[in-house]
Amino acid sequence: MVAARTIHISRNHEKNKRIAAMGIISLLLVFICAFLAVCIRIEFGSVPIDIKVLNPADVSMETAEVPWNLVLVNKWHPLQEETEAEFTLLSNGQQVDKRIYPDLQQMFDDARAEGVYPIVREGYRTHKQQTEVYDDKVAAYMKEGYIRVIAEKLAGQWVAVPGSSEHELGLAVDINADKDRSDNYTVYSWLADNAWKYGFILRYPQGKERITGIDYEPWHYRYVGKEAAEQIYEEGITLEEYLEK
Ligand SMILES: [Zn+2]
C-alpha cells in the first residue's frame, strides 16, 4: 500500500515537472515572438505598410505640387476646403469649372455631329449638395432594412462620401443620353472611345474598384487635360496610377 502511494506521488511529481517545463518553453516562445515583432516594427516603421500598398495614391500627393487639372480627390484624399474655382452655367442649370468648359463643349459638339446626343446630368456640387445626395442614399438603404453602418458602407460604393467627391471640385461630369435622341449605351460607348481626345477620362473603370474606391460608373468623366487623358486612356490606368508615376 505504502509502495503504491510512493509510486503515485512520484508519478505526480514527474507530471508537474513536465507541465513546468512546457510552461517555461511557452513563455520563451512568447518572448521570442514579441522580440521579433519589435524588430520588424523598427525595420519598417510604425506606419501600416499594407495600407500603403493597397492605396497607391497615398504617396504621390504629398511630394510634388499638383496642377489644378490633376488634383486627386477620393475617399483617401478628401477635399481640404471648398473649391474657389469660377464656374460656367450650362443651359440646363448645371455648372462646371470654367476652365473645362471649352473642351466639354467641343466634345459635345463633335458627338452631336456624329449623331450621338449627350447631356450633363450632374456637374459641380457644393459640399452641402453632396451631403444631401449621400444622406439620401444612406436613408434609402436603411429603408430597405440595413443598419446605419451597413447602409453607409453600401451607399459609399455608389455615392462618394461628402468631401471625397470630384463633383465638389467642378472638374467631373456625369454624362447621360438626351433620351429623345440617343440612349445611354450609345453615349457611354462614344465617350469611352473619344473622351480622352478632349481631356476627359472614365474615372471609375471596371476592375479598378480597389484603386478608385468607387464601383464602375460609365457616366462619370473627369477632366485631367489632354496630355494626361491620352496616357491614362492608352495605358488603361486610373488617375491614382497615373499620379503614382
Ligand atoms: Zn459622378
Side-chain angles (χ1 to χ4, degrees), residues 68-70 99-100 103 171 195-201 222-232 239 242:
W68 66 271
N69 53 311
L70 294 177
R99 294 166 290 190
I100 79 168
D103 285 330
L171 301 177
W196 64 274
K197 297 172 195 163
Y198 306 88
F200 288 87
I201 55 160
R222 158 68 196 269
Y223 189 81
V224 291
K226 288 175 186 169
E227 200 189 314
E230 182 172 3
Q231 196 182 333
I232 288 169
L239 180 57
Y242 176 81

Side-chain angles (χ1 to χ4, degrees), residues 76-139:
W76 302 283
H77 293 99
L79 267 175
Q80 298 305 314
E81 53 201 29
E82 290 215 27
T83 175
E84 283 170 8
E86 288 180 52
F87 296 96
T88 299
L89 185 66
L90 308 178
S91 57
N92 65 352
Q94 293 296 318
Q95 297 184 83
V96 293
D97 186 307
K98 196 176 154 188
R99 294 166 290 190
I100 79 168
Y101 174 71
D103 285 330
L104 180 67
Q105 188 58 53
Q106 190 62 54
M107 179 163 80
F108 276 38
D109 287 347
D110 291 353
R112 284 168 186 150
E114 290 179 36
V116 177
Y117 293 88
I119 54 149
V120 172
R121 194 179 59 95
E122 288 270 0
Y124 170 64
R125 273 184 217 142
T126 62
H127 187 74
K128 189 167 169 273
Q129 286 168 328
Q130 183 65 32
T131 307
E132 282 164 11
V133 173
Y134 177 77
D135 288 348
D136 284 354
K137 198 77 180 170
V138 173

Side-chain angles (χ1 to χ4, degrees), residues 12-26:
N12 268 349
H13 187 67
E14 279 297 310
K15 201 176 164 191
N16 287 343
K17 263 168 79 181
R18 252 184 291 145
I19 290 169
M22 272 164 70
I24 289 165
I25 289 167
S26 306

Side-chain angles (χ1 to χ4, degrees), residues 121-123 125 165-167 172-174 204 217 219-221:
R121 194 179 59 95
E122 288 270 0
R125 273 184 217 142
S165 167
E166 290 186 328
H167 287 282
V173 275
D174 288 343
Y204 307 121
E217 289 191 354
W219 55 83
H220 182 108
Y221 278 79

